[in-house]
Amino acid sequence: MRKLAILFGSAALLAACQTTPPPAPPPPVDLNNPLMAPGFLAQAGSANQWEIEASQLALQASSNVAVRNYANMLIADHTRLGQAVGAAATSAGLSPPPPSLLPPQQAMLDQLRAAGSGPSFDMAYQQAQISAHQQAIQLMQNYAASGDVPALRTVASQAIPTMQMHLQQAQMLNVAPPPPPPPPMPSTRRSGERG
């Protein structure tokens, strides 16, 4: 009888273990929420990578000294910014995603590639830089004010002055198209005369 009670008790214990629901899986990572670390890291990383790739493209497609100097500055500054964000994420126990472009930044880069080279590229690059920096400043300001990870809020706040300076320089970038060619010289011949 005792063996039977032990068997029933063991069976009841096993049954109780099996009816306990498994732990809930972690919530999915929302890359669209820029106020949560995964979304911020994905969006900031993509924006930063776009700045670097667009500026590398500028070094290939532009002969304008001002554009080339601006592109070199952006490559250096955004490389440092990416490293600072990565270090802040690591210090908070997060793994920053590898540098990659999200669809909006990839579309902007494709448009820039389609602009060709020379003055048409320079004007497209300037407009893209103005737009991209306005968006990136907004992302950083929002995260600095309301983001979920203190270390990332700090690095976002520290990035804002540099990005504002980049925006101002983009707005002042001299990318005016070259003047049109002069009109052809009027002919000095009179109609009916032979030259």
Side-chain angles (χ1 to χ4, degrees), residues 29-191:
V29 173
D30 183 4
L31 297 182
N32 294 318
N33 185 348
L35 297 179
M36 301 299 290
F40 173 75
L41 288 171
Q43 291 183 30
S46 179
N48 201 56
Q49 187 65 25
W50 181 86
E51 293 292 349
I52 293 169
E53 289 186 31
S55 296
Q56 289 169 337
L57 182 60
L59 294 177
Q60 297 169 9
S62 180
S63 57
N64 182 320
V65 173
V67 168
R68 294 176 65 78
N69 288 341
Y70 181 74
N72 278 317
M73 177 189 66
L74 290 185
I75 291 168
D77 288 353
H78 283 277
T79 298
R80 280 192 298 274
L81 178 59
Q83 291 167 346
V85 170
T90 301
S91 76
L94 301 169
S95 297
S100 65
L101 297 177
L102 294 174
Q105 283 79 23
Q106 184 62 57
M108 285 175 46
L109 190 62
D110 292 343
Q111 288 175 337
L112 202 51
R113 279 193 184 107
S117 61
S120 60
F121 175 87
D122 295 341
M123 289 187 293
Y125 179 70
Q126 179 189 37
Q127 290 308 308
Q129 286 298 335
I130 290 170
S131 175
H133 276 95
Q134 288 170 337
Q135 292 171 21
I137 289 167
Q138 188 67 47
L139 174 70
M140 294 296 175
Q141 287 173 334
N142 289 343
Y143 196 85
S146 305
D148 63 338
V149 175
L152 292 177
R153 281 198 314 264
T154 299
V155 81
S157 179
Q158 291 169 346
I160 294 169
T162 301
M163 297 176 96
Q164 288 172 331
M165 185 258 307
H166 290 170
L167 174 60
Q168 291 169 348
Q169 289 186 345
Q171 291 167 332
M172 296 185 310
L173 205 53
N174 184 8
V175 295
M185 296 292 290
S187 173
T188 56
R189 295 183 192 164
R190 294 185 185 151
S191 63

